[in-house]
């Protein structure tokens, strides 16, 4: 057998190795929080879309929830708006919200475009469509910082209906309060709320860090596997700080509300989703409930 | 019976008079091209939404197709873009298209918001979602004026799927070409293409005119009812000019491709949709195929 | 805007005002006990049919249960039968039952006829069809007064099946006992049993009175809204007498078995059903369970 | 093996012999015109109901169409009505029609009662329900003889819907014209129209004769099997007279419109339906189209 | 009425007598353990197939579970294999298992063939198909006697799916352990496990004895009806011996796990299944739970 | 990025490359004729099963048709049967057929076992089940060589039903004639007939050769792509001989009857199915209809 042939056989072998994973997640819902570098870098973006599209095609039911962070700031500046602050916090006033919604909508349709290009049926919605995300105003340290919402109800039916019609739903984190005003929602929060509402098998956060560290200063302390009680202890002991704190809280929340497993992935690694799901190479940190091991052994 | 009571009975009578119309259009698709003043004036906007929502609730299947004209110009200015022209025609270059898509998205979600507020399940999509609108570049007098598309294929399945799941679809006229580039589409054209693709029972254009005139200078020459052959003769004889010409061509096109009836309505009249559909007061101009009379007599 | 136009706009306004009511009762079952003057007067009859048909068309699921009172007496006389009495009570012997069933059948098909005339699919059945109503003999003060039954089991499946096939079921109150003998059933009782069995959203009695009075002698004591405990107290305190006593008992029974709301309407008012359902003008007396207010305020 | 055992084995054998017939008619529609002596004699009535119920239970889809002849005359007399005549023909005026409809309704529900007693789900309808039978006025020799109709349209959907819900439909031959007036229909005509509309596998007339005779005076000339062309020749040659003429015309009509086979059975023979369908004993006359033989040989 | 006619009427009568039984078992699952003489004698075989096919056609849902006993021994000899024994027990080594599976497969397809010949859709499967039967190794008195399994899990879905698609499933008692090795299963055990898993209405064993005797030496002590507690007492008191002991244990097991009734039938009586089900002649012994009587009286 | 990581990324890349192929064959039926060395060599066998199982899991609808060639001969010998010959051809007499059916059944269940082991729902059937394959006796050069059949009718419904229930059907080539006798069918013929009947997207033959050669003596003349007309010309010109002649005729037959593409694959290459379907390395010979190119370029 020549070298060329061997190369093809190796390819076949990779596909065969994916078999047990394809089986395991068949018809399971996987919520992917898409953000960070993976959204800015065109190559990474293409790879994330490829990954999610592949998951859809081999029988999973992925849902993408995305943010739009840096783009929003760019456009707020572009239209010459004056940022407002309360106690040092940026305020999302009505004008800012208008721009934010426009930018998130643009990002949303751009993701639809990429998925459609790969031949899969996508639909881009916001939390307004079908009343998907109902919010309350979210105060920050007791202060009203404008149209920033926290999800109080997810109307999961709309997602089930779209999944049943074989759409890949792409959701941007905008919602309405009981008076039907528009609110911005933190994309992590939205992804977590949706994952809980649909009892997702997996919730994966694409981030710009390698995972959770015991000591953020020391890359060697990256934690591969974290049980809910361990995570709570880490938080209580003050090991977790900065932006990781609310993210980890979201993870624990999700696990405690029926999501089987949450992943904090390094979105800067190409195809990190596929690697996590289809190979035995663990990427980033997996948050599990108490009884499970990270790696699946048989059934 | 006191006066107060009489007033209530009159109300009941109005509902009863709606009976035959509700029956006639039960489960029929009605495409509404929404634009012009009815989109700018907040009261008219509210009324159009109420009308369409009522149509949905009493068993019709409305689809809204909307434009965003003046808003787009406003925002193009706001971000400080320089308009480009070719042979005196405004060019939709990539930057303009980006702003246009953002604005149309914003308008789209704002309509969703209003419909949801009335308790009906809406979903706002563009022609990108599910690959709804596939376009070719549209030249203007042989000139390339940028990302302006003409619909070459409507993927009607997406609309059927959303209607089946009881959504009221709200569509903004953006599509993709075969290379998945984004294009702006004239909203009249998009509405017409969609009405043809789903064999709509009715296609209604909300406009800023009273209807088609034999003599545009003379309001008394408003035409209430126009058969396709009559319309073609009027056009051939040069009676129709300006923006009405392509609109009328669209109407004829729709009728010839299976839409039962097209209406050019005066969107400045409150509840013009309800008046047209639920009363025997004809609003604007109805375009019919040859054999039909404007007013329904029995079945 | 001329006067004529204003009149049309008023009409549109009436339809728009119906929006929240149409939403509220969408796909809900409403059982209408049809009897009294509304069944004798041709105009009232036409109006009741129009009302129920409209309810059907805008998405409700009405079921009509009717009696045939005066017609039965007329025909019993016509065929020259001798009325029998036991302790002063009219006896429904086999011959009377035969005539009663014939007359009820005639009334039943005449209602079907009127509904069909309005273009809605009706089906007229008795409690024999599909074994809908199974009865036990009902004694009156311990006396056997013949083939008079009380409902012991409602086979609700038949109604669900007919509703699923989009029929408007019209039921006459005849049933069978365990030996498959034919029995007459009081129409109020039949309507109440059916409303309970299908957990109707509403049960409406069309009667020949304005509603429940605290003092039947004083029209000003008409009670608009009555909670179950209040009704029970009124009965215990002896305020309720005559034919109202069993009717009120039926109402309480229905509420306690899952019907959301019961109405005693004045069937002599044209379109009383529409007025009750689509306007904020309360007609007659509404029986509610303890926690609810009569008027719906938002959701 | 003792004699008793043999008797049981013989029974098993009868069931086994039914196998090919059960297979052949599985899920096929069989329209039974029920009338004549089989409707008057209580034993025969019970047997017909047993037969049809058995057909239903073993997987066929029977539909009963019944008349009410003698009962109608009896009740017309009972209410003291004066018969009217035009040119010697009895006229069905509005009063007669009212009584006829009542009597047919009574007969209808009595059949429902018997079928329900055997544990099968029956529903008794008239041609008014769901608009099943739409008629035109039928003149007799050019004379208007009142509310006598001929079927111009069968709304077969209602029957399909009821069959799908596993009902055994029992139809009485009353219909409405385009103005929704009530008409009496000859039961043979109604059965034939229904069989044609649902493309019945079989249409069986229960009559009071043994079948079609070549010479009505000579019982030995009973025809067991008659092809359409033979039947037409017999009629053309004047062999067929009296009530048989329209009946035979109906049979030919049915065959020519998609009914596979029509039977004129002697309803005075107990279980004539079962005998015809489950044994190789031919009862009465079978009308076939040209290519078939009466007896099924294999498939 | 001549003698010939009488004979036909008698046949009709037999069919009519089957009515209540057909009703009772409509859409109920009946598991038939097929074995013994009824599998060897060609006439009996034909009759069993006819019986089961008839059950299928009149609306029951039979499942056949068969053994292959004598055929296996014959082929084991034919291929010249040496029987192995442990402590006097025949061992099912891998080679024996291979032959056994081949022979059971042959028997299985031969039954399919017979059912198909009667025009009914059969499908022959083993416990391997769809993972129907998962087993553990069964020791005999603590000894490993090879690939003999006891059922630990029945994947009933496969049977429901095949029944839904209108197949008559024919199952041979071969299964797999958790390592996907092939095992032989006692056919009685397999039938019992399947009947329990699908909550069969009936489980019928075709055997070569008349039923359960109080005194096996005395045919007059045949027990027609046996309640579970009586059966347990008989076993405890040592009345039951030999092959009957595990069979009776299986019967009790089935009853205690949701099977309504178990029959030990004499498969040597032609059409014993039909006789048991369609006549009031009890064949063999019926095992019941405590509250029921053997014969059905009304409902 | 370290070497280890690169290896994982390469794996992800292989999965991504499979995307367009997964899309193309989503829900398409692929018939695999399984035979030759791939059935004898345990490693190859495992790989074929893995391939087909993967196809199933990623959304294709594979059907396996297998032979049993060498095993049959082995067992015919084992039971000491004397081969019969007519004009030098081996005769499949009843005894041989019995052994052949047993062996094919054993092979069939062994394949089921392997697929189940990989967690996919398999069902092993023969052409008898559900009457899948109806045959006529096939003569060889005019001679009756026993129970060798050629397919005259495929009852494709059984396959559609099993696919709908998510089974992977595994078919052994045994069928019945109109008298329900058992016949052996050439597995190539059976696969071809089945592929035609279900209008398979692909029919793949696993063989022991590399493909079709222009000159069988010269390996360099292997033909990668062959249009139907070219194939016919090759056959007419005498280039094709031996066992390839009927196989090629089968391929042409399949293409001409609606199968999109037929492959003659070298079953001795590990994972040849995956390589053919998921990579751009062509394995063996592809038979196409006139208009297509071998390699898919876009859509």
């Amino acid at each position: 057998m020549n070298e060329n042939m061997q190369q093809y056989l190796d390819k076949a072998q990779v596909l065969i190795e994916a078999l047990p994973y394809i089986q395991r997640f068949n018809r399971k819902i996987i919520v992917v929080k898409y953000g960070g570098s993976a959204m800015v870098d065109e190559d990474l973006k293409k790879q994330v879309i490829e990954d999610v599209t592949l998951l859809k095609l081999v029988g999973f039911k992925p849902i993408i929830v995305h943010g739009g962070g840096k783009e929003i700031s760019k456009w707020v500046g572009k239209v010459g708006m004056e940022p407002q602050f309360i106690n040092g916090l940026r305020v999302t006033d009505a004008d800012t919200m208008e721009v934010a919604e426009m930018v998130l909508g643009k990002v949303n349709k751009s993701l639809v475009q990429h998925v459609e290009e790969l031949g899969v049926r996508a639909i881009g919605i916001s939390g307004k469509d079908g009343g998907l995300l109902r919010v309350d105003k979210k105060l920050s340290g007791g202060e009203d910082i404008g149209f920033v919402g926290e999800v109080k109800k997810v109307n999961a039916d709309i997602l089930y209906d779209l999944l049943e019609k074989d759409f890949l739903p792409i959701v941007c984190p905008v919602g309405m309060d009981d008076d039907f005003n528009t609110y911005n929602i933190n994309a992590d929060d939205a992804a977590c709320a949706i994952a809980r509402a649909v009892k997702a098998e997996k919730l994966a956060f694409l981030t710009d860090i390698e995972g959770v560290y015991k000591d953020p200063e020391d890359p060697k302390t990256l934690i591969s596997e974290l049980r809910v009680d361990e995570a709570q202890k880490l938080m209580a002991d003050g090991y977790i700080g900065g932006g990781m704190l609310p993210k980890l809280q979201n993870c624990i929340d999700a696990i405690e509300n029926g999501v089987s497993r949450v992943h904090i992935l390094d979105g800067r690694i190409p195809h990190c989703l596929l690697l996590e799901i289809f190979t035995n190479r663990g990427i980033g940190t997996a948050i599990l409930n108490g009884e499970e091991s990270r790696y699946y052994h048989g059934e």
Side-chain angles (χ1 to χ4, degrees), chain A residues 103-119:
Chain A
V103 173
L104 285 165
K106 177 178 78 90
V107 171
N108 187 265
K109 292 309 175 204
S110 137
L111 295 176
V112 166
Q113 195 164 347
H114 281 84
V115 174
E116 286 282 334
E117 201 166 347
L118 294 177

Side-chain angles (χ1 to χ4, degrees), chain A residues 9-62:
Chain A
L9 292 182
D10 290 350
K11 289 190 176 188
Q13 196 49 40
V14 173
L15 293 165
I16 289 304
E17 278 170 15
L19 252 176
Y21 304 101
I22 293 178
Q23 261 175 286
R24 173 173 298 276
F25 297 112
N26 201 15
R27 290 176 204 173
K28 297 279 172 56
I29 295 179
I30 297 185
V31 174
V32 177
K33 156 64 204 311
Y34 174 51
S37 305
M39 223 166 134
V40 177
D41 181 289
E42 281 302 312
D43 280 347
L44 289 173
K45 186 174 184 175
K46 187 167 160 294
Q47 286 153 358
V48 170
I49 297 296
E50 284 174 344
D51 287 9
V52 178
T53 304
L54 185 75
L55 295 184
K56 177 79 181 172
L57 277 174
V58 300
F60 301 33
K61 301 188 165 187

Side-chain angles (χ1 to χ4, degrees), chain A residues 216-259:
Chain A
E217 303 303 304
D218 179 1
K220 275 179 276 167
T221 63
L222 178 64
I223 300 166
S224 159
E225 193 177 327
L226 199 56
R227 272 172 193 68
V228 161
D229 52 345
E230 295 169 352
Q232 280 163 330
K233 189 159 189 317
L234 278 180
M235 288 165 73
D237 294 353
Y239 283 104
I240 310 296
M244 184 48 72
L245 204 61
K247 208 179 282 284
L248 203 51
Q249 189 52 58
N250 260 331
C251 296
I252 292 172
D253 221 47
I255 296 282
E256 287 182 337
N257 284 281
V259 177

Side-chain angles (χ1 to χ4, degrees), chain A residues 30-214:
Chain A
I30 297 185
V31 174
V32 177
K33 156 64 204 311
Y34 174 51
S37 305
M39 223 166 134
V40 177
D41 181 289
E42 281 302 312
D43 280 347
L44 289 173
K45 186 174 184 175
K46 187 167 160 294
Q47 286 153 358
V48 170
I49 297 296
E50 284 174 344
D51 287 9
V52 178
T53 304
L54 185 75
L55 295 184
K56 177 79 181 172
L57 277 174
V58 300
F60 301 33
K61 301 188 165 187
I63 295 170
I64 297 175
V65 181
H66 65 87
K70 289 172 189 165
E71 276 284 286
I72 296 176
S73 303
K74 191 181 98 185
W75 283 86
V76 165
K78 226 166 169 171
V79 300
M81 281 170 49
E82 291 288 325
Q84 277 185 279
F85 290 89
I86 293 181
N87 294 351
L89 289 167
R90 176 189 285 267
V91 174
T92 302
D93 60 6
D95 288 344
T96 309
M97 186 63 239
E98 190 176 21
V99 174
E101 191 178 13
M102 284 167 73
V103 173
L104 285 165
K106 177 178 78 90
V107 171
N108 187 265
K109 292 309 175 204
S110 137
L111 295 176
V112 166
Q113 195 164 347
H114 281 84
V115 174
E116 286 282 334
E117 201 166 347
L118 294 177
V120 160
R121 202 186 205 194
I123 193 158
I125 58 174
S126 88
K128 289 179 170 178
D129 294 288
L132 175 62
L133 299 175
R134 185 61 63 98
V135 307
D136 278 335
K137 186 184 273 280
K138 185 181 189 175
L139 301 181
S140 177
E143 291 296 327
D144 181 342
I145 50 167
F147 294 99
V148 176
E150 65 186 336
V151 180
K152 72 170 183 183
K153 186 159 168 289
V154 176
N155 181 3
D157 279 352
I158 187 181
L159 292 171
Y160 291 134
D161 282 348
L162 295 176
L163 289 173
E164 192 191 318
K165 288 298 181 188
D166 216 22
F167 285 108
L168 193 166
I170 300 176
V171 183
C172 73
V174 170
M176 297 185 289
D177 68 8
D178 289 348
D179 296 326
F180 296 92
N181 298 305
T182 305
Y183 282 75
N184 202 6
I185 307 165
N186 176 279
D188 281 3
D189 294 356
C192 182
I194 285 171
R196 286 173 52 171
V198 299
K199 302 273 180 242
E201 179 69 18
K202 262 187 197 299
L203 165 60
F205 291 96
L206 299 196
T207 70
D208 280 359
I209 52 168
E210 283 184 58
V212 182
Y213 298 94
K214 184 139 192 194

